[in-house]
Amino acid sequence: MPKFIAFLRGVNVGGRIIKMAELKTAFETAGFKKVSTFLQTGNVTFDSHLKESLLKAKIERMLAKAFRYPAKVQVVSFENLAKIVAANPFSEASSDYHQYVIFIENQLEIALVAEAGKLLGEELKIGQGVVYWKVKKGQTLKSPFAKLLTKTKYKDFNTNRNINTLQKIIKSS
């Protein structure tokens, strides 16, 4: 059975608290197998025979009902996640920088990077359904790109994870 990860957007920030044990139970109740959570930021691994596009809709409905919020998730197979991490163009970045993967839908990665243009101190590269982002440590929340991600046309269609977190998720599977 294929293994997937759901990246929940906006969990345990801004007053929306979801306990990982409750999140795990919700996934198991919905019929997912081998469910596990990773960190406290809404990373859920599970097995399923469904396709990614069907999983996204099912999980968003389930979370909205269980936790009473307009859930937004990105679902990625472990096979695709490994490819995304391996393709990181910033793997040689100095320790002065954070490296993130922005999981984005509706093929918005091209528009997002085009609108971002050249950002001082930041680098962006388009990947397959993702944007790779390198930003100076301490600037992540203050950066122009971070502010761009909160624009109405992007905010409901993306979530990001630090490359280190993604590497740990892959190793834990």
Side-chain angles (χ1 to χ4, degrees), residues 7 19 23 26 32 52 54 57 59 102 106 123 146 154 165 172:
F7 297 112
K19 293 184 168 115
L23 183 60
F32 297 109
E52 287 176 34
L54 296 173
I59 293 167
I102 314 301
N106 299 339
E123 285 188 60
Y154 302 120
T165 298
S172 74

Side-chain angles (χ1 to χ4, degrees), residues 6 26-33 46-66 71-73 75:
F27 269 74
E28 290 170 340
T29 301
F32 297 109
K33 305 297 181 204
F46 60 94
D47 290 357
S48 178
H49 286 299
L50 296 175
K51 297 201 180 293
E52 287 176 34
S53 59
L54 296 173
L55 289 169
K56 176 180 174 40
K58 179 178 179 172
I59 293 167
E60 286 180 347
R61 282 191 309 274
M62 177 267 296
L63 292 172
K65 183 177 179 185
K72 298 291 181 187
V73 301
V75 179

Side-chain angles (χ1 to χ4, degrees), residues 2 37 60 68 72 83 88-90 102 106 111-112 116-117 127 136 141 152 159 161 163:
T37 60
E60 286 180 347
R68 296 181 185 90
K72 298 291 181 187
K83 290 176 185 175
N88 175 21
F90 304 126
I102 314 301
N106 299 339
L112 177 63
K136 190 101 167 142
L141 297 177
T152 302
T159 193
R161 296 296 186 271
I163 197 76

Side-chain angles (χ1 to χ4, degrees), residues 6-150:
F7 297 112
L8 283 65
R9 185 176 190 278
V11 172
N12 294 341
V13 295
R16 180 179 299 123
I17 307 299
I18 297 176
K19 293 184 168 115
M20 293 301 104
E22 293 171 1
L23 183 60
K24 181 179 189 278
T25 298
F27 269 74
E28 290 170 340
T29 301
F32 297 109
K33 305 297 181 204
K34 296 183 183 175
V35 178
S36 181
T37 60
F38 191 83
L39 299 176
Q40 299 295 312
T41 56
N43 305 301
V44 183
T45 62
F46 60 94
D47 290 357
S48 178
H49 286 299
L50 296 175
K51 297 201 180 293
E52 287 176 34
S53 59
L54 296 173
L55 289 169
K56 176 180 174 40
K58 179 178 179 172
I59 293 167
E60 286 180 347
R61 282 191 309 274
M62 177 267 296
L63 292 172
K65 183 177 179 185
F67 299 104
R68 296 181 185 90
Y69 82 104
K72 298 291 181 187
V73 301
Q74 301 290 327
V75 179
V76 180
S77 71
F78 260 72
E79 180 181 341
N80 285 340
L81 182 62
K83 290 176 185 175
I84 288 166
V85 170
N88 175 21
F90 304 126
S91 60
E92 301 298 321
S94 78
S95 61
D96 294 341
Y97 288 87
H98 284 297
Q99 300 169 53
Y100 294 95
V101 175
I102 314 301
F103 294 89
I104 195 156
E105 57 190 86
N106 299 339
Q107 298 180 329
L108 287 171
E109 63 272 16
I110 296 167
L112 177 63
V113 171
E115 188 170 344
K118 294 278 184 190
L119 302 173
L120 191 59
E122 299 176 72
E123 285 188 60
L124 304 169
K125 297 283 184 195
I126 296 173
Q128 182 111 13
V130 300
V131 173
Y132 297 96
W133 176 30
K134 183 178 91 172
V135 61
K136 190 101 167 142
K137 285 185 176 176
Q139 297 302 306
T140 303
L141 297 177
K142 301 174 195 172
S143 83
F145 184 67
K147 292 176 179 146
L148 181 61
L149 287 172
T150 65

